[in-house]
């Protein structure tokens, strides 16, 4: 627990990517330096911000247009007639997020065409708002078929996403107002917020319920700081305090981050994005109200996240089920969900924790997420996105231009534009340097106006020169973060550790080597600063090997490679045999780092010797190349791995193809009965049941598997379509079995096996018992048949879903 001298919550700065500072000044307050006061001119971030401005934002707006996002507002406004489009009640948030990102871009680099475009779409949004301030188009358009909207009236359900829509709209409106000074969108936000304050709260006749999908808490705090209307802060606090209470009798849910009151929480669970947004909002409320109890709760939850549930890439959320967290130390690589939005939320939360404490450990986490888990979410071209960000792939993952649930593309556009916001902070007259990125900053630290210029090729080079030009000579502190990857500080609260000796660094002041005091991860230089003073930090950029806590099953016997803040991976096309799973990098192997300017827009590439396990079991010497994790999948579908075996015994050699591994796997909308024609439509292709990775137990979800999503107690089916007729007489099925807050999975109550006979499915004959044992293959022999396909029909147990990890055919 943090001691009281470090806990400066009462004066903690409110964070926002809009450059808003808390209204009350205090010498102990840590305050952000707004992103529009920091101007980058580096070769790493500036090109990405420009791609975001010129490609990602226009591309996302185009997708909003062609997918009906703006039409939905026009229909609600009565401007056009038509049917509401989209699949989710929160589709309104897609344009909100892109407008927010576009507003940040306008503040940094004015674009008259973009400014006019924003005016036009904001006009449509404003006309869609109902007279009382309500704004959710699927409800106004009476489109109750949408996923995420199950109510018959406004505000009926906790997961209706109406408040989520409001939150993103308010954040977008505040950003637009701060960037342009125009109140058109801000007035829409104020009317909507006034309706929220009237509708929700503790009074009789109001709805007693938390937000369901948090973000409105952060948004209301931002609106409070713009308007100085205390109602909005009080409303944000109400949503925080109502969390987990169930006052109105609704079912408490981890998925909604509503499982228990925040003050009693000590483990991060449930939906990962909602968690990051909620705890960011809690930090905002705690800072603006001086509530230390909430911050102590945040510390406990953060400790659990950082020590047991954080991917080495800075991603959070291990499971696709519920898009959320699994149990402690469940950090599987190939099935890692690590949603792009969750990595962004992790930055928001950790930045707020830094502002509360001045502790560099929080910056270490958000830097890790920034350079790895966030950037992996967008292609180098800026127009393709990852929803989930696995740390291992057989080639089944690929970025897409858009998604049915399109939260991530818009989130990327608004976040990348705001990166300069996270570089500096002030406390009284003192200045924190949190990130090393080349550029200039105009900093006003409690009246102490300073221009700071960084010159560096970070993250590819560890040399940083910082020129300091105060308006007047005065005594104050510059605090340089010494990154955890350089020091002997624990990586993510001992969840990970460096397998080699710590790196070294040297600090010079005006050419003279100094050894400043290290406080909370910062080198503190306290002196009377004058114009032209120059601080240089030279950081060792040796490649460091990282080991995971032994409780992380999927990382045992493996090593991750990191250089500076950048985590690396092997990608298939860089390897001599195009494979990544059959290689081991032994601890004594030398690793070379070299800048390659014509590869992946310019990267430092790692290379060295490896040991390769061959199909016959022999081990031979080979070479490897590794690229930054954030740049993988920019050259097409490919194999990829972050965690690399350190011995051949942990490698995986792909077996020879089998009948099953060559088959196409499909599942159906409903099971097809014995001797009936196949009339049910194929719902989709399944993945994972024939990947030839051997499970260790029925709860082994480290490699792909098939599960019947949202199906409970129903009759389900899955089928193989063979590449040609085969004579078969045996199958082996490994059933899925594990518990999760979003649904539990068991072997079926019973199941049957069918073979294709022309256009008909027929049950196999003379079969041995259909086993449903866990933690083993259930083998079934039957009378040989020659067929082009097999189908499993499984009756799921009452109250449970089910799935298959692996299905062999002989």
């Amino acid at each position: 627990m943090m001691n009281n001298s470090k806990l400066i919550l009462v004066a903690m700065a409110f964070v926002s990517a809009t450059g808003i500072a808390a209204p009350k000044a205090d010498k102990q307050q840590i305050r952000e330096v707004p992103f529009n006061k920091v101007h980058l001119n580096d070769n790493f971030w500036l090109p990405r911000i420009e791609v975001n401005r010129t490609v990602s934002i226009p591309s996302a707006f185009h997708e909003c247009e062609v997918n009906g996002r703006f039409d939905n507002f026009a229909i609600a406004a009565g401007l056009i007639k038509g049917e509401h489009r989209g699949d989710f009640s929160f589709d309104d948030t897609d344009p909100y997020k892109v407008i927010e990102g576009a507003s940040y871009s306008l503040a940094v680099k004015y674009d008259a065409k973009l400014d006019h475009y924003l005016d036009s779409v904001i006009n449509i949004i404003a006309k869609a708002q109902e007279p009382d301030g309500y704004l959710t188009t699927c409800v106004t358009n009476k489109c109750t078929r949408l996923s995420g909207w199950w109510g018959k009236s406004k505000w009926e359900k906790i997961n209706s996403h109406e408040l989520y829509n409001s939150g993103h709209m308010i954040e977008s409106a505040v950003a637009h107002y701060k960037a342009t000074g125009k109140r058109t969108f801000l007035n829409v936000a104020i009317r909507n917020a006034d309706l929220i304050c009237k509708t929700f709260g503790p009074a009789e006749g109001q709805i007693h319920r938390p937000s369901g999908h948090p973000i409105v808490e952060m948004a209301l705090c931002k609106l409070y700081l713009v308007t100085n209307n205390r109602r909005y802060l009080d409303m944000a606090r109400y949503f925080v305090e109502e969390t987990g209470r169930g006052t109105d009798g609704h079912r408490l849910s981890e998925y909604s981050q509503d499982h228990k009151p925040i003050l009693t929480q000590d483990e991060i669970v449930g939906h990962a994005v909602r968690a990051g947004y909620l705890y960011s909002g809690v930090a905002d409320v705690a800072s603006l109200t001086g509530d230390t109890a909430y911050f102590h709760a945040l510390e406990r939850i953060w400790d659990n996240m950082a020590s047991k549930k954080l991917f080495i890439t800075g991603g959070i959320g291990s499971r696709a089920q519920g898009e959320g967290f699994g149990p402690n130390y469940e950090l599987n690589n190939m099935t890692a969900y690590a949603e792009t939005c969750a990595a962004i939320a992790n930055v928001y939360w950790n930045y707020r924790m830094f502002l509360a404490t001045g502790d560099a450990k929080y910056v270490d986490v958000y830097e890790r997420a920034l350079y790895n888990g966030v950037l992996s979410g967008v292609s180098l071209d800026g127009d393709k996105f990852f929803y989930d960000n696995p740390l291992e792939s057989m080639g089944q993952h690929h970025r897409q231009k858009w998604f049915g649930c399109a939260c991530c593309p818009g989130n990327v556009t608004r976040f990348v534009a705001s990166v300069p916001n996270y570089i500096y902070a002030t406390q009284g007259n003192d200045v924190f340097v949190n990130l090393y990125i080349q550029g200039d900053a105009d900093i006003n630290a409690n009246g102490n106006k300073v221009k700071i210029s960084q010159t560096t090729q970070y993250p590819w080079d560890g040399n940083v020169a910082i020129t300091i030009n105060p308006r007047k000579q005065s005594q104050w502190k510059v605090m340089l973060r010494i990154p955890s990857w350089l020091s002997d500080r624990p990586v993510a609260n001992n969840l990970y550790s460096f397998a080699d000796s710590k790196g070294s660094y040297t600090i010079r002041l005006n050419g003279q080597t100094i050894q400043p005091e290290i406080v909370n991860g910062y080198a503190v230089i306290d002196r009377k600063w004058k114009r032209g003073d120059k601080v240089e930090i030279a950081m060792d950029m040796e490649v460091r090997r990282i080991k995971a806590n032994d409780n992380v099953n999927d990382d045992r016997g493996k090593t991750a490679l990191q250089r500076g803040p950048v985590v690396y991976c092997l990608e298939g096309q860089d390897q001599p045999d195009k494979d990544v799973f059959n290689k081991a990098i032994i601890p004594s192997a030398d690793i070379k780092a070299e800048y390659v300017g014509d590869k992946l827009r310019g990267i430092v590439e790692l290379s060295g010797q490896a040991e390769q396990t061959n199909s016959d079991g022999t081990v031979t010497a080979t070479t490897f190349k590794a690229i930054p994790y954030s740049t993988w999948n920019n050259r097409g579908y490919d194999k990829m791995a972050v965690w690399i075996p350190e011995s051949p015994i942990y490698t995986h050699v792909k077996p020879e193809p089998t009948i099953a591994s060559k088959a196409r796997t499909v599942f159906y909308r409903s099971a097809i009965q014995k001797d009936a024609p196949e009339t049910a439509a194929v719902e989709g292709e399944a993945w994972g049941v024939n990947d030839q990775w051997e499970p260790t137990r029925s709860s082994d979800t480290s490699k792909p598997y098939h599960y019947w999503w949202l199906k409970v107690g129903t009759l389900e089916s899955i089928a193989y379509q063979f590449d040609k007729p085969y004579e078969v007489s045996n199958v082996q099925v490994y059933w899925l079995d594990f518990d999760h807050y979003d649904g539990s999975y068991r072997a079926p109550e019973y199941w049957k096996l069918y073979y294709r006979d022309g256009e008909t499915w027929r049950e196999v004959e003379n079969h041995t018992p259909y086993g449903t044992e866990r933690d083993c293959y259930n083998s079934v022999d039957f009378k040989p048949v020659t067929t082009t396909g097999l189908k499993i029909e499984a009756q799921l147990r009452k109250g449970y879903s089910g799935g298959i990890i692996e299905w062999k055919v002989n």
Side-chain angles (χ1 to χ4, degrees), residues 363-633:
V363 185
D364 289 336
V365 173
Y366 81 65
E367 182 186 55
R368 180 173 297 281
L370 194 60
Y371 279 95
N372 303 289
V374 172
L375 277 186
S376 62
V378 59
S379 67
L380 292 173
D381 290 335
D383 61 351
K384 296 183 182 67
F385 305 88
F386 271 140
Y387 195 105
D388 53 324
N389 293 270
L391 281 73
E392 195 174 77
S393 178
M394 291 183 289
Q396 72 271 36
H397 299 92
H398 196 60
R399 292 184 182 86
Q400 300 179 44
K401 282 186 173 292
W402 199 247
F403 305 91
C405 175
C407 53
C408 295
N411 231 357
V412 168
T413 65
R414 74 177 183 137
F415 182 81
V416 170
S418 69
V419 165
N421 190 72
Y422 301 96
I423 300 175
Y424 300 100
T426 64
Q427 184 177 22
N429 294 327
D430 305 330
V431 177
F432 288 88
V433 182
N434 286 325
L435 301 178
Y436 299 108
I437 303 175
Q438 182 168 291
D440 303 317
D442 295 308
I443 297 173
N444 187 346
N446 200 27
N448 177 30
K449 294 185 177 180
V450 183
K451 183 170 184 177
I452 292 182
S453 299
Q454 284 194 46
T455 303
T456 181
Q457 294 300 312
Y458 192 93
W460 307 133
D461 185 271
N463 296 315
V464 183
I466 303 173
T467 303
I468 298 173
N469 288 305
R471 175 174 291 183
K472 59 183 179 180
Q473 186 170 312
S474 59
Q475 185 89 20
W476 45 281
K477 300 172 186 174
V478 169
M479 289 166 282
L480 304 176
R481 183 176 65 96
I482 307 301
S484 63
W485 54 261
L486 186 64
S487 69
D488 55 2
R489 291 205 308 278
V491 184
N493 276 25
N494 290 317
L495 177 57
Y496 305 104
S497 59
F498 291 115
D500 44 23
S501 58
K502 71 175 182 176
S504 61
Y505 64 92
T506 302
I507 298 176
R508 292 184 176 86
L509 174 62
N510 296 328
Q512 299 296 314
T513 300
I514 60 173
Q515 294 182 327
E517 180 185 9
I518 305 300
V519 179
N520 295 333
Y522 290 89
V524 180
I525 307 175
D526 188 354
R527 71 187 302 270
K528 199 169 190 178
W529 296 93
K530 63 182 184 302
R531 291 184 62 82
D533 278 343
K534 189 173 185 179
V535 177
E536 297 169 281
I537 178 168
M539 296 175 280
D540 182 4
M541 278 284 193
E542 292 298 313
V543 179
R544 303 203 69 182
R545 290 170 163 87
I546 297 176
K547 298 283 290 180
N549 186 297
D550 196 51
N551 287 306
V552 183
N553 292 334
D554 205 27
D555 295 342
R556 287 179 187 162
K558 300 176 184 178
T559 301
L561 302 178
Q562 181 173 331
R563 183 180 182 273
V566 178
V567 174
Y568 280 76
C569 70
L570 303 188
E571 192 169 19
Q573 59 192 283
D574 297 315
Q575 316 314 319
D577 65 344
K578 310 303 182 186
D579 200 356
V580 302
F581 301 115
N582 62 353
K583 290 174 180 60
I585 302 175
I586 63 174
S588 60
D590 290 332
I591 299 176
K592 176 184 176 182
E594 181 180 11
Y595 183 77
V596 184
D598 59 354
K599 187 172 186 176
L600 297 168
R601 306 281 175 95
I603 61 168
V604 167
E605 181 180 68
L606 307 184
S607 61
Q609 295 294 312
E611 295 187 353
Q612 178 174 302
T613 305
N614 304 308
S615 57
D616 61 0
T618 60
V619 177
T620 55
T622 188
T623 59
F624 78 90
K625 290 183 178 179
I627 62 171
Y629 167 76
S630 65
T631 65
W632 87 279
N633 193 241

Side-chain angles (χ1 to χ4, degrees), residues 56 63 65 67 144 146 148 241 268 270 363 495-496 530 581 680:
S56 301
E63 294 294 339
E65 291 172 359
N67 287 283
T144 58
L146 296 187
E241 292 180 341
I268 193 166
V363 185
L495 177 57
Y496 305 104
K530 63 182 184 302
F581 301 115

